Amino acid sequence: MPPTRSVGRSRPRSHPDVLPVALDALTTNGIFRVSTGPGAAYQSAPFAPPCQVRVGRCGGAMDWKRSLRNRLAARCAPKKSEQELKDEEMELFTKYYVEWKGGRAKVNTSYTNIPRFYYRLPAEDEVLLQKLREESRAVFLQRKSRELLDNEELQNLWFLLDKHQTSPMIGEEAMINYENFLKVGEKAGPKCKQFFTAKIFAKLLNNDPYGRISIMQFFNYVMRKVWLHQTRIGLSLYDVAGQGYLRESDLENYILELIPTLPQLDGLEKSFYSFYVCTAVRKFFFFLDPLRTGKIKIQDILACSFLDDLLELRDEELSKESQETNWFSAPSALRVYGQYLNLDKDHNGMLSKEELSRYGTGTLTNIFLDRVFQECLTYDGEMDYKTYLDFVLALENRKEPAALQYIFKLLDIENKGYLNVFSLNYFFRAIQEQMKIHGQEPVSFQDVKDEIFDMVKPKDPYKISLQDLINSSQGDTVTSILIDLNGFWTYENREVLVASDNDSIADADDT
């Protein structure tokens, strides 16, 4: 409490010439506190700034009464809460700030009206809202489709590009400079305006001494963009939720309706359609849905090459070699399904562990197969066709991160997120046992362990994580060593196999 001035004791307290009043400004609410004597308590009163108030003998009585009245009123007034004081402080601050700015500063109150940004999806029983949503999405997609170039407009674009080509040609490649490029953009129409920008021209520029781009490359770029937008719209029609994702059933419907448009699938019987669709859809979900959420982003479908492989089947003259390497071709789908039927000896439509053990060369270890049936979805201990497809995709694509993730989960028997010496030894013992059965001398685990760590070069010298396996680019070799006797034998005799391959090539050159 700040000290107050005291009046000399020689004067009677009842007739003061000078009334000592100590005032202290309270910065939080602009109300001043006043003290009227030594040791007096501070009270709130709307007084003037701190000063010494002189009171004459004549007019002092009225001022004194007014002061007491104000003190009593302030004492009886209810105390304001902390929030009220803060609000009052902000109100006063705003008022004085606006006045200080000369009234030019306008308070922006837009924050009080936040625009709506979330619209819930209609529930299943809200049929009318669902229909309205479907119709509005269909109208939107139709409008987007009309904004794309049609065949006639693409032909007109090619004619204009060919007409404005810039000499000289590079071989048989027609070129165009930036000046003619802009002229074509003006004549091609509003739909083509988005393609005739400096950014796209610079992107296609490829060390031409005259600063030109290839007309064919530019036209292919436009065609690719138009195709991507068309495909995006086509896939979005199957996006029932309208959230940019396709569920498994949505993608199945898309591929089922696509089959009649693919000439390379004309030979498929309709009874096989469901198995073909299942085979095709599993590749999308195995590689694009690693967390097994049951849905895939449409953007991810467009970004990967799977859709290109699928639509490649529109080519009526597709070579036999291309069909054999294309997972979506009829020969490939029939091969995978035929293998499944051959493994199913009891013809119950499911595969047991014993039946799956004959997969491939029949050299997968029992310990690995045990882990497959422990971790993968089975029905009464048997595997269905969909689970079998995941198994096949993993083993046939061991260099891919999604396949390595599948196999790594099986190898990680302790669910620790890494492979240690114990895990490696656990699986390699089965390889050693198979070597004994085939009359071969078992290889020392210590040698194999050292080779695996040398190949992978993990960050932690005692643990191998999934990312270590992917980064090493040796994941397919490491997994083959641990789960497949044939894979280990191939690795162990790699030098002999390379030498024999070189001899075969030499013999072929001699002939």
Side-chain angles (χ1 to χ4, degrees):
M1 179 182 300
T4 58
R5 291 184 183 180
S6 59
V7 183
R9 297 191 181 278
S10 59
R11 293 178 181 273
R13 296 287 298 267
S14 58
H15 303 285
D17 282 336
V18 179
L19 177 64
V21 180
L23 299 171
D24 184 22
L26 181 63
T27 58
T28 57
N29 56 11
I31 297 176
F32 299 99
R33 298 192 183 277
V34 62
S35 172
T36 58
Y42 280 78
Q43 298 294 336
S44 298
F47 280 99
C51 63
Q52 191 178 57
V53 182
R54 288 188 179 273
V55 182
R57 290 181 181 274
C58 297
M62 293 301 296
D63 290 339
W64 178 246
K65 288 180 181 179
R66 189 181 299 112
S67 299
L68 288 175
R69 190 180 296 114
N70 289 337
R71 286 181 61 197
L72 291 173
R75 181 180 296 178
C76 297
K79 293 185 178 180
K80 295 183 179 180
S81 66
E82 184 177 353
Q83 184 61 41
E84 289 176 335
L85 293 175
K86 288 183 178 180
D87 293 342
E88 187 176 353
E89 178 185 356
M90 179 56 68
E91 184 179 351
L92 288 171
F93 172 78
T94 306
K95 174 185 174 183
Y96 294 139
Y97 180 77
V98 172
E99 291 178 357
W100 177 66
K101 280 287 191 179
R104 291 174 297 176
K106 295 182 179 180
V107 180
N108 186 4
T109 59
S110 62
Y111 67 90
T112 60
N113 300 315
I114 300 176
R116 184 175 180 182
F117 59 88
Y118 171 74
Y119 295 86
R120 69 174 182 85
L121 294 176
E124 293 183 0
D125 56 342
E126 296 175 325
V127 180
L128 184 59
L129 289 178
Q130 285 185 346
K131 290 293 183 183
L132 177 62
R133 179 179 172 80
E134 291 174 6
E135 287 299 320
S136 61
R137 286 187 64 248
V139 170
F140 170 76
L141 293 174
Q142 288 174 3
R143 185 171 73 247
K144 287 295 182 183
S145 181
R146 287 194 295 269
E147 293 175 1
L148 300 178
L149 297 172
D150 56 27
N151 289 335
E152 184 177 346
E153 290 167 328
L154 286 170
Q155 289 177 359
N156 181 56
L157 175 61
W158 175 256
F159 172 76
L160 289 172
L161 288 169
D162 187 59
K163 183 179 178 181
H164 289 80
Q165 62 177 280
T166 308
S167 58
M169 298 177 64
I170 299 179
E172 297 182 356
E173 191 80 16
M175 310 295 286
I176 187 171
N177 61 17
Y178 187 62
E179 183 180 355
N180 290 342
F181 179 78
L182 293 179
K183 289 180 181 178
V184 174
E186 293 174 357
K187 297 179 180 179
K191 286 186 180 181
C192 296
K193 185 177 180 180
Q194 57 179 315
F195 301 113
F196 289 88
T197 63
K199 183 178 180 180
I200 293 177
F201 188 89
K203 186 186 296 185
L204 299 175
L205 199 59
N206 190 22
N207 298 326
D208 181 70
Y210 303 98
R212 305 168 302 171
I213 63 173
S214 166
I215 289 178
M216 180 59 71
Q217 286 185 0
F218 173 71
F219 189 73
N220 287 338
Y221 173 84
V222 174
M223 291 277 288
R224 176 71 178 174
K225 283 290 186 181
V226 172
W227 177 83
L228 282 173
H229 282 94
Q230 286 176 340
T231 309
R232 173 66 187 265
I233 292 171
L235 289 170
S236 297
L237 292 172
Y238 294 85
D239 177 15
V240 177
Q243 299 293 299
Y245 294 89
L246 288 186
R247 300 169 302 173
E248 194 165 346
S249 58
D250 300 332
L251 192 55
E252 286 175 352
N253 291 333
Y254 172 77
I255 293 178
L256 183 62
E257 295 183 14
L258 193 65
I259 290 177
T261 68
L262 304 176
Q264 290 295 334
L265 301 180
D266 287 344
L268 287 181
E269 297 181 4
K270 289 189 176 182
S271 58
F272 185 68
Y273 278 10
S274 60
F275 294 100
Y276 175 81
V277 169
C278 181
T279 304
V281 168
R282 280 324 298 166
K283 181 162 188 177
F284 283 95
F285 275 85
F286 181 82
F287 288 101
L288 302 182
D289 183 27
L291 299 180
R292 303 296 181 257
T293 61
K295 57 185 181 181
I296 308 175
K297 285 184 179 180
I298 293 177
Q299 288 182 344
D300 291 342
I301 296 176
L302 294 173
C304 72
S305 63
F306 300 157
L307 207 56
D308 291 335
D309 295 340
L310 180 61
L311 298 179
E312 187 182 39
L313 303 179
R314 289 176 174 172
D315 185 1
E316 297 182 1
E317 300 179 357
L318 190 64
S319 65
K320 186 177 180 180
E321 292 76 12
S322 299
Q323 292 187 47
E324 290 176 353
T325 57
N326 189 332
W327 173 267
F328 302 101
S329 68
S332 176
L334 291 169
R335 171 185 63 83
V336 175
Y337 186 65
Q339 289 175 349
Y340 182 79
L341 294 180
N342 290 333
L343 294 174
D344 182 19
K345 288 299 181 183
D346 57 6
H347 305 293
N348 67 343
M350 309 282 279
L351 296 182
S352 64
K353 175 192 166 186
E354 182 181 353
E355 291 171 332
L356 187 63
S357 65
R358 295 185 295 105
Y359 172 81
T361 57
T363 54
L364 293 173
T365 64
N366 288 329
I367 289 179
F368 175 70
L369 293 173
D370 288 338
R371 288 292 296 157
V372 170
F373 280 83
Q374 288 170 8
E375 292 291 334
C376 299
L377 179 63
T378 57
Y379 302 88
D380 294 329
E382 293 194 322
M383 177 186 293
D384 68 346
Y385 184 58
K386 189 179 292 186
T387 306
Y388 172 76
L389 288 173
D390 288 344
F391 177 81
V392 173
L393 286 166
L395 295 187
E396 290 189 357
N397 301 274
R398 297 184 203 183
K399 292 186 178 181
E400 299 296 327
L404 288 176
Q405 179 182 352
Y406 178 96
I407 300 175
F408 186 88
K409 183 180 178 182
L410 303 178
L411 298 178
D412 184 15
I413 54 177
E414 298 177 291
N415 292 321
K416 291 183 176 180
Y418 60 83
L419 305 180
N420 52 22
V421 175
F422 174 80
S423 303
L424 300 180
N425 187 34
Y426 180 78
F427 283 95
F428 191 71
R429 279 187 303 177
I431 297 291
Q432 291 174 322
E433 292 174 1
Q434 284 196 356
M435 293 180 72
K436 291 178 182 178
I437 294 174
H438 289 82
Q440 300 175 8
E441 184 67 25
V443 178
S444 169
F445 168 70
Q446 290 298 324
D447 295 338
V448 173
K449 183 249 314 180
D450 292 341
E451 290 187 33
I452 289 176
F453 275 90
D454 287 342
M455 281 190 289
V456 177
K457 295 181 177 60
K459 291 182 179 180
D460 188 323
Y462 301 101
K463 302 174 183 177
I464 297 176
S465 67
L466 173 60
Q467 196 59 48
D468 291 331
L469 212 57
I470 294 172
N471 293 341
S472 69
S473 300
Q474 299 292 330
D476 57 325
T477 303
V478 173
T479 54
S480 298
I481 290 173
L482 296 174
I483 67 175
D484 186 1
L485 176 61
N486 189 54
F488 172 74
W489 185 89
T490 302
Y491 170 75
E492 190 70 8
N493 296 276
R494 59 193 180 280
E495 296 177 357
V496 177
L497 294 175
V498 170
S500 62
D501 289 342
N502 291 336
D503 291 342
S504 300
I505 295 173
D507 293 340
D509 292 339
D510 292 340
T511 57

